[in-house]
Amino acid sequence: MDLFKGGIYSRIAPKFSQSNPLPLRKTILLTLAVTLLNPHVYLDTVFVIGASALMFSVEQKLLFALGALSASCLWFFGLGYGAFKLSQILIKITRLLDLLIAAIMFFVAFSLMRYVWLLVWH
């Protein structure tokens, strides 16, 4: 409960250090670790995207792969660039975002509990 109260009543904004950036090598290694050790990468790539390409011919699969790769590069570049450009605004509304996310999580949890209750008791 103290953690929940701390999230609501906290006056501490996140602090990001710009004076001591990580060395390039460490940044690249951390990025590769987060990317390649993430099981969702393999699930999305092999099952979702791979299953979508099953009906294509070999030439179409190559074009599909190039399109998926291009879309992925554009998406993640845009995500990173957008986060960089919006970082000052996002820092100011962090508490509001946290409360919004908490409300969504409580709504989903309540909906699931209601569904199970209706399924079991009715």
Side-chain angles (χ1 to χ4, degrees):
M1 192 65 173
D2 288 337
L3 182 63
F4 180 71
K5 288 179 188 176
I8 292 176
Y9 299 115
S10 176
R11 301 283 184 231
I12 301 169
K15 295 182 174 103
F16 300 102
S17 172
Q18 295 180 356
S19 61
N20 295 327
L22 289 175
L24 181 62
R25 183 171 191 266
K26 189 169 185 176
T27 302
I28 291 172
L29 288 174
L30 285 171
T31 303
L32 287 173
V34 168
T35 303
L36 299 176
L37 297 176
N38 181 358
H40 292 282
V41 169
Y42 304 106
L43 290 173
D44 290 344
T45 303
V46 174
F47 295 110
V48 177
I49 295 176
S52 300
L54 284 176
M55 63 184 163
F56 297 139
S57 68
V58 175
E59 295 84 16
Q60 290 173 329
K61 285 180 182 176
L62 180 61
L63 291 173
F64 182 83
L66 290 172
L69 182 64
S70 300
S72 180
C73 288
L74 283 171
W75 169 254
F76 285 110
F77 174 78
L79 197 61
Y81 186 73
F84 172 72
K85 285 296 189 183
L86 293 174
S87 62
Q88 294 304 316
I89 295 169
L90 292 174
I91 287 172
K92 294 176 184 171
I93 62 169
T94 299
R95 186 171 313 142
L96 178 64
L97 287 174
D98 287 345
L99 290 173
L100 179 66
I101 292 167
I104 291 170
M105 290 174 71
F106 279 117
F107 175 75
V108 169
F110 174 75
S111 298
L112 289 172
M113 288 189 305
R114 183 175 173 265
Y115 175 74
V116 169
W117 185 80
L118 289 173
L119 192 67
V120 171
W121 299 106
H122 285 85

